[in-house]
Amino acid sequence: MTQESALSLMKTGKNFFLTGAPGTGKTYVINQYIDYLKKHGIEVAITAPTGIAASHINGVTLQSFFGTGIRDSLSQYDIENLTEKKYLWDRMKHLQVLIIDEVSMLSPQLFESINQLLQTFKFNHEPFGGVQVILVGDFFQLPPVMKNQEEKRFIFQSPVWNELDLGICYLTNSFRHTDEILLNILNEMRSGFVSESSMNHFRERYKKEPKNNEQITKLYTHNVDVDAINNQSLRLLDAPLQIFEAHTTGQKKWVERIFNNSLFLPKLELKKGALVFFIKNNYEKDYINGTLGTIIDFDVFGTPVVETRDGRHIKAERIEWTYTDNDGKALATIKQIPLRLAWAITIHKSQGMTLESAEIDLSQSFEPGQGYVALSRIQDIKGLKLMGLNAQALAVNKTVLEKDIHMRKNSEELHLYIENTDTESLEQSHAVFLQKLGGSTEKGNKKEEEHKQQKPKIKSFLESKKYFKRALSISEIAKIRDVTEATIWKHLYDILDDDPEFDITYLQPDSNIIELVENTIHAIEKKRSPEDYLENGSIRLRSIFEKLDEKISYDDIKCAMLFLE
């Protein structure tokens, strides 16, 4: 399913589970939906099961939002106590949409407790008290740690999952991974079988340095390895040590709670030349969680200056994190530099990051999904330096594998539905949901509203067709329609299927490019190497790209293929 389709489905007001492999844009879609809701005056709660996960989406923990504390399940007594909290009544009264990110880390017990709480506060026995629920995550990621391994580990094993009647939006286009080899490996892992061809790629990357990377981040399964590597690497730098103690207020136990629920350190030690990564998203300062760089200086106030991989200079100024009680009162606050040493990171803490390259040691993997999480951090197989691999490293949970088959089928059915539903019908369902929640349906001035109401009933790809008629580029159309370029490429294929005579000659590249692409395809077809083909029998674009010495862009290759006999 495309990002555009998933967003349109959410606007109908039904409950959905947004999933897909890392890099498919789940966070992007959620941010788009949050902006849409806020624009129309709809109250939305943005939550996640852990502090680290919540910080990635600028949200709060579920426990904080619902006042449950550290308890994983609630008794009737606990619920009655919570109903005595006025601030919770005020909060729940206005809550209309609940978003829970990283649900693979959410225990079934807490999931069921939140359901009970909302039914109580909303005086409504519907699942989650009738609030629209958007769950986000990927169950192939690491699951929650359970004291009793016999307990259910995933929320889809809870009866509440079925009661929610969730539609599945399974995103399929990867925007993180530009390499089809790595993408194929990850897809194989998601299918439960890793081919010998993929194993050969791992062997080729064994202790092999990534190209154009002098320093790379190391991912390990255990904290002890990470701490030893970072401390030793820092000591080897011939530069004065700079120590940043966190500024804290509040009782010790609450301050410790902040450190336990975040990546912030009580004492951060840095030197000029240290490899670091940012641990928070800050779009105004132009860095995100996982942005890598090197300390190049400290300004006159002692603030670290980080040079990112793309040459930007960012001052890593202290930021604040507050821990509040059930009444919203601040119990503790810390101010600290949002950096950590990045020579090494645990795989668990790397979830949500995007790394240009990484040295990964999976020789001590002990949990299904660790290898998948680690490998999905990088963008290209050439960015991998593999130090070790055990049998557990490539395993994924069998229960998840079985559930994933049903999820894909559900998503495909929804995708067909939305592709065959006219735009006007979808917009009407969006408006009905907004009106139900008392939100504003105004989208601008009356002229804009009248213009939208006069739109003909057309499919999504036909809306793109009018821009192709104006001879606009793929990127220009994607920008106008506020979708990805991959979506516009799909629309183009749909247009040509619907209208084979449609004129797209303006997209035709130079004849020499077409000839080179055609000759390369013939050479691949003659050789018939399995690694050059996708499961559906089509030739991998990556293979054509590499055999052309990476001198012709992917877009030019795709355009050339449109004009082959």
Side-chain angles (χ1 to χ4, degrees), residues 192-209:
F193 172 76
V194 179
S195 68
E196 186 61 25
S197 174
S198 292
M199 293 304 299
N200 285 333
H201 288 301
F202 286 133
R203 295 181 186 107
E204 291 172 2
R205 301 310 307 172
Y206 182 64
K207 293 188 176 180
K208 187 171 182 179
E209 297 292 338

Side-chain angles (χ1 to χ4, degrees), residues 256-296:
E256 289 178 349
R257 182 69 61 83
I258 297 177
F259 289 122
N260 290 335
N261 287 333
S262 70
L263 287 172
F264 287 101
L265 292 171
K267 184 170 76 171
L268 176 64
E269 296 184 345
L270 299 173
K271 288 183 179 180
K272 187 176 178 180
L275 187 65
V276 295
F277 70 92
F278 285 89
I279 57 176
K280 283 279 287 181
N281 292 329
N282 189 326
Y283 300 106
E284 292 181 2
K285 297 284 187 179
D286 203 19
Y287 63 78
I288 61 172
N289 175 55
T291 296
L292 278 165
T294 304
I295 303 292
I296 59 169

Side-chain angles (χ1 to χ4, degrees), residues 331-516:
L331 295 176
T333 300
I334 68 165
K335 287 185 178 181
Q336 181 57 298
I337 303 294
L339 295 175
R340 285 188 76 139
L341 296 176
W343 285 287
I345 312 170
T346 62
I347 291 171
H348 185 80
K349 288 178 179 174
S350 75
Q351 283 196 182
M353 290 183 175
T354 299
L355 301 173
E356 184 180 337
S357 57
E359 177 183 306
I360 300 176
D361 189 343
L362 297 169
S363 61
Q364 298 183 62
S365 298
F366 57 89
E367 175 80 68
Q370 281 185 315
Y372 182 82
V373 170
L375 292 168
S376 59
R377 297 308 97 206
I378 57 176
Q379 300 168 295
D380 193 303
I381 193 69
K382 292 179 181 178
L384 170 66
K385 179 180 180 181
L386 185 64
M387 301 303 292
L389 196 69
N390 67 9
Q392 184 78 336
L394 303 181
V396 290
N397 190 284
K398 292 181 179 179
T399 304
V400 172
L401 277 174
E402 294 172 1
K403 188 66 176 179
D404 192 64
I405 295 172
H406 299 290
M407 288 182 177
R408 286 180 183 271
K409 184 178 179 181
N410 182 297
S411 180
E412 288 169 3
E413 291 172 353
L414 277 175
H415 182 67
L416 286 174
Y417 159 76
I418 200 165
E419 283 293 306
N420 290 286
T421 302
D422 61 84
T423 303
E424 186 175 16
S425 295
L426 283 171
E427 290 189 347
Q428 285 176 349
S429 66
H430 299 166
V432 167
F433 177 53
L434 291 175
Q435 290 169 354
K436 176 185 174 183
L437 298 185
S440 168
T441 57
E442 292 296 325
K443 300 178 183 178
N445 58 42
K446 289 184 178 180
K447 288 185 178 180
E448 290 174 337
E449 187 67 23
E450 289 171 0
H451 175 71
K452 291 199 172 185
Q453 289 175 354
Q454 292 169 3
K455 280 187 177 180
K457 297 181 179 182
I458 54 177
K459 295 177 182 178
S460 186
F461 75 85
L462 293 178
E463 289 188 344
S464 294
K465 187 175 182 178
K466 63 185 181 183
Y467 297 109
F468 282 108
K469 287 180 177 178
R470 290 164 52 187
L472 298 182
S473 68
I474 297 289
S475 60
E476 287 172 332
I477 299 172
K479 188 173 182 180
I480 291 171
R481 298 213 56 199
D482 194 23
V483 296
T484 65
E485 290 185 22
T487 296
I488 300 303
W489 271 108
K490 182 179 184 307
H491 286 177
L492 179 57
Y493 298 141
D494 289 339
I495 290 167
L496 294 175
D497 284 341
D498 182 67
D499 181 6
E501 302 301 319
F502 184 65
D503 184 13
I504 54 167
T505 52
Y506 76 94
L507 291 174
Q508 183 171 337
D510 293 340
S511 58
N512 64 320
I513 291 178
I514 296 176
E515 184 178 355
L516 284 170

Side-chain angles (χ1 to χ4, degrees), residues 210 213-218 275 309 342-343 357-359 385:
N213 279 283
E214 297 178 3
Q215 291 183 318
I216 60 173
T217 297
K218 300 175 175 66
L275 187 65
R309 289 296 177 85
W343 285 287
S357 57
E359 177 183 306
K385 179 180 180 181

